[in-house]
Every structure is written in C-alpha cells, then in structure tokens.
Amino acid sequence: MRKALSLFLMAVLFVGLLSACGPKRDAEQPKQTNNGTEEAKKPEKLVVWVNDDEKQKQALKDIFQKYTEKTGIKIEMVAVNMLDQTKKLALDGPAGKGPDVFYQPHDRIGDIVLQGLADPVDLGDAKDEYSETAVNAVTYDGQTYGVPAVVETYGVFYNKNLVPEAPKTMDELMKIAKEKTNAAKDQYGFLMEATNFYFVYPFFAGYGGYVFKNENGKYDTSDIGLANDGAVKGAELVQSWFKNGYIPKEITGDIMNGLFTKGNVAVAITGPWNIASYKEALGDKLATAPLPVLDNGEHPKSFVGAKTWMLSAYSKNKEWAVDFMKFVTNEENSLHYYEVAGEMPANEKALTNEKITNDPLIAGFAEQIQYGEPMPNVPEMSQVWEPMGNALQFIAKGDNPKAVLSEAVKTIQDKIAASGAGK
C-alpha cells in the first residue's frame, strides 16, 4: 500500500515538473491558431526587402506601421531593386545579413527555387483570398512559393474621339482597323507590338496554343504548344494585320505610343504602365477594355504577371514572416497599396472592389486578368523569347506561319537542351 502511494505521489510530482517546464503562453504569443505563429517566438523585428520605387515605398510604409501596431514587431524596410534582390540574397543570406521577406516578379520563381533561396509558403485558409490566376502564378512544381501582392496584364486602350466604344470582338476591331487606317497620314485604327511575343501570345492561346503544357501546377517543358494548330491559326491572324497594312512592319512600342498620344490611333493594345502618359495626352477621351473576343468565341489569354512576397530560406522567423505577408496583402491593405502605388491587387476582394471596377482606366485590365494565364515561371521560359521574337519577324514579312513556328519550337528545344534545363 505504501509502495503504491509512493509511486502515485512520484507520478503527480513528475507531471507537475513537466507542466512547469513546458511552453507558456504569454503576451508575446498570438492567440491565432490558423496562421502558423501560435508556437513561434515573436521576433523583435522582421527585415523586409522592398522594390526601390518611391510610390511603392510610401504605400508600404503605411502598411508596415499598421503591422507593427498590431503585433509589436518592428519592420526594417530595406529598398533594393527587385531585379537585384536574388543576387544580393545569394550573398547576404548565408552570411546572416539577408531579409526575412523579399519581393520578386513571379516569373523568376523557378530560378529562385533552384538556387535554394526561398522556402514554400502554406497559404492555408488565406489561399481563397487571392485570385486563382495569382495563386497559379506563384505555384512552382506543385508548391506555393510566395504570397502574391499585385497582378498585371495588358488590354485595350481606345480614343473616344475616334471610336465611341471599345471593340468587343475581333471582327469589330478589324472593321475599325480597315476604316480608320491611312498609313500615308500616320493614322491607324489599331496598333500593337505585333512582333513582340509577350503581346502576341493571347492570340495563340485563344485558339489553343500554349508555351509549356501545364497540369496541376506543373509545367512539362518537353511539351511545347507553339506550333500546334491553334498557334498557327493565331499566327495567321497576326500575319493578316501586316498583310492588310493595318500595322507597319517596323512597329515598336515607342512608335505606337507616340502615334497614340498624338491622337492618331483609335485602338492600342498595351499595358497599364502607359496610363499616365496616355491620360496626360487624351484626358477624359481615354478609356480601356479587355481584349476583344476571337471568332471562336474565346477570350484571348493574355500573359498575367504577378509580383509576390517571398519567404527567404535563411529567415529564422518563418512563421511570423508568413503572417506578415498575409497581412500586407489582405483586402484593406491591398486597396491602400492600389490607391497609393497604382498597381492592381492580387487579393480577389480588393480586385473586384468598386474602387477598381469603377475606375474607367483600370477596369478593363482588371477584367482581362480573369481571362489571362500566368506567364510560365520555369527557368526554361528564358529560352522562348528570342526564337519566338525572330519567328514573328518572319511572319510579319509573309513567311509561312506553320514552317516558321515549327522551326522556332525546334530552336527552343535545342536551347533548353544546351542550357541543361528540363532535365
């Protein structure tokens, strides 16, 4: 009996010691259970690399301050051009001088992951807060590498002095091109950089073309769809614009922008980065719209770019870094960023907020996001641009689209093999 009582008392004492030594919840630990920070020690600060842009920094300073007020964590904001961040992180990260969070265009994710610079992010329940296109953009090899912040694509600008309404179909656009083009007077119904694959891709994709086959967030870079029947049909459409004299063969972005701001172009296909200069030139006669529907009833699938916050593989505060990224990109903060920095949010509720949908110069691009698809974020994408740019030059001059595209795909395959990628 005494032995049993002794054993019982020892057990009670042991449990008491375990409780005393175990983790305690204090004011420094968040009460949330769904953001991954419940058991993580709260750091004094997070180091965040932001793009070195004045409007962006102004917007983020406000948002970062709100996060500090909410959590008590100071945010050390370091401005580094986003195109220079990965090179700097590769040096600073191993030395313990890098950031917890950095900021990148989504199409660099493949290279970043291969270098081991970023860790995947579990969006959890927050995944549904972002547009599907934005989430797909930051998905690489089936895993999510980042919390998307902004999205962008291109669409239609039109001059209401020349056309009262945007063309809704390709047939309507071609009618405008035919009626409003007088090349001798530098007057055009329709212009775009039609030898730039970035802008031409939606007319391939709308008919069934694709760069790399994508299934469940994974690209098969051995399956290139840029010479299939859909891509050829798209190329034939593009070629007709040159053949009919609607677009000059020497077209460049500078030429198009100069003519549009002079009031010599009815419709131009380009991106929201031109809003400021176009608005200054045309005032309230400027409007935007999504790309016109093709003759098969499909919307052209423009490339969608995303800029994303990424989690440094060297961060020692990963749970709180993810919490921070989600906070920065919530609906309220995304709208503030849009109002100050002027970039469209990846947050779905913010993107469909009336502040954006009622903005006549943003609404067209926001709608086109729905029809677009993310630019592939695999390293092999870098081997696509030059061959396709060359192919479009030949197509503009009248060469056979099928033959030209087949040769371009062969060149892309050879370049991928020579680079050692795709293995």
Side-chain angles (χ1 to χ4, degrees), residues 99-122:
D100 295 287
V101 174
F102 60 109
Y103 190 68
Q104 286 294 290
H106 88 273
D107 55 305
R108 290 181 155 217
I109 288 176
D111 278 323
I112 291 168
V113 172
L114 290 179
Q115 292 181 62
L117 299 177
D119 278 354
V121 172
D122 181 6

Side-chain angles (χ1 to χ4, degrees), residues 325-347:
M325 291 189 282
K326 291 178 181 178
F327 177 85
V328 171
T329 56
N330 68 24
E331 180 183 5
E332 178 185 347
N333 291 325
S334 292
L335 282 171
H336 179 74
Y337 187 83
Y338 162 73
E339 290 171 337
V340 177
E343 294 190 291
M344 289 188 295
N347 183 286

Side-chain angles (χ1 to χ4, degrees), residues 3-206:
K3 186 176 182 181
L5 182 60
S6 296
L7 289 172
F8 174 74
L9 291 172
M10 288 176 65
V12 170
L13 179 62
F14 180 67
V15 170
L17 286 170
L18 282 178
S19 299
C21 296
K24 296 178 180 179
R25 182 180 298 281
D26 55 31
E28 293 246 321
Q29 288 182 305
K31 295 179 181 178
Q32 301 97 316
T33 59
N34 63 350
N35 65 357
T37 58
E38 186 183 22
E39 299 302 328
K41 182 180 178 181
K42 182 181 287 189
E44 289 186 8
K45 71 174 182 179
L46 291 172
V47 178
V48 180
W49 285 359
V50 304
N51 188 36
D52 194 4
D53 176 273
E54 290 306 317
K55 286 186 177 180
Q56 293 175 25
K57 288 188 291 186
Q58 179 186 341
L60 292 171
K61 185 178 180 181
D62 299 335
I63 297 169
F64 291 2
Q65 180 59 38
K66 285 167 61 179
Y67 186 75
T68 298
E69 292 169 359
K70 176 177 180 281
T71 64
I73 300 173
K74 295 179 181 178
I75 304 300
E76 182 180 324
M77 185 170 77
V78 181
V80 181
N81 184 297
M82 64 180 175
L83 300 182
D84 297 330
Q85 288 185 16
T86 53
K87 187 181 294 184
K88 183 173 174 61
L89 178 58
L91 296 173
D92 290 0
K97 299 184 296 182
D100 295 287
V101 174
F102 60 109
Y103 190 68
Q104 286 294 290
H106 88 273
D107 55 305
R108 290 181 155 217
I109 288 176
D111 278 323
I112 291 168
V113 172
L114 290 179
Q115 292 181 62
L117 299 177
D119 278 354
V121 172
D122 181 6
L123 291 176
D125 294 340
K127 182 177 180 179
D128 294 335
E129 296 180 15
Y130 305 95
S131 74
E132 183 179 356
T133 303
V135 173
N136 290 341
V138 300
T139 300
Y140 177 76
D141 206 20
Q143 289 190 293
T144 306
Y145 281 92
V147 179
V150 299
V151 288
E152 70 177 15
T153 193
Y154 35 95
V156 164
F157 283 97
Y158 62 103
N159 182 338
K160 290 190 284 187
N161 274 334
L162 300 177
V163 283
E165 294 182 351
K168 293 182 173 59
T169 67
M170 187 56 63
D171 285 344
E172 290 179 11
L173 180 59
M174 292 302 95
K175 184 179 179 182
I176 291 170
K178 184 175 182 179
E179 292 177 355
K180 301 288 185 180
T181 297
N182 185 337
K185 294 183 177 181
D186 278 341
Q187 296 173 349
Y188 294 92
F190 157 58
L191 283 183
M192 65 172 286
E193 292 178 67
T195 55
N196 184 329
F197 180 60
Y198 174 70
F199 292 107
V200 167
Y201 176 72
F203 305 104
F204 285 32

Side-chain angles (χ1 to χ4, degrees), residues 193-258:
E193 292 178 67
T195 55
N196 184 329
F197 180 60
Y198 174 70
F199 292 107
V200 167
Y201 176 72
F203 305 104
F204 285 32
Y207 287 115
Y210 53 87
V211 182
F212 304 120
K213 194 71 172 178
N214 184 351
E215 291 188 10
N216 302 318
K218 295 185 178 183
Y219 287 101
D220 180 356
T221 57
S222 67
D223 186 344
I224 301 173
L226 292 175
N228 66 15
D229 291 344
V232 171
K233 187 166 184 178
E236 290 171 346
L237 172 64
V238 172
Q239 189 173 66
S240 73
W241 304 337
F242 293 103
K243 190 178 294 184
N244 293 328
Y246 299 155
I247 296 180
K249 293 181 178 65
E250 63 276 9
I251 189 68
T252 65
D254 287 342
I255 291 172
M256 177 185 71
N257 294 337

Side-chain angles (χ1 to χ4, degrees), residues 345-390:
N347 183 286
E348 183 71 26
K349 286 185 179 179
L351 188 62
T352 55
N353 186 282
E354 62 182 12
K355 289 181 180 178
I356 292 177
T357 58
N358 290 343
D359 184 332
L361 298 183
I362 289 292
F365 300 105
E367 182 179 346
Q368 181 59 37
I369 293 283
Q370 302 174 43
Y371 312 127
E373 60 183 54
M375 187 188 305
N377 57 17
V378 291
E380 291 86 346
M381 186 64 192
S382 64
Q383 309 301 334
V384 172
W385 299 108
E386 184 179 358
M388 288 305 297
N390 291 337

Side-chain angles (χ1 to χ4, degrees), residues 301-347:
K301 299 176 182 177
S302 56
F303 276 139
V304 176
K307 295 171 190 171
T308 182
W309 297 107
M310 299 192 72
L311 175 62
S312 170
Y314 302 100
S315 172
K316 295 179 180 178
N317 307 299
K318 289 183 168 59
E319 295 86 352
W320 282 103
V322 172
D323 180 70
F324 164 80
M325 291 189 282
K326 291 178 181 178
F327 177 85
V328 171
T329 56
N330 68 24
E331 180 183 5
E332 178 185 347
N333 291 325
S334 292
L335 282 171
H336 179 74
Y337 187 83
Y338 162 73
E339 290 171 337
V340 177
E343 294 190 291
M344 289 188 295
N347 183 286

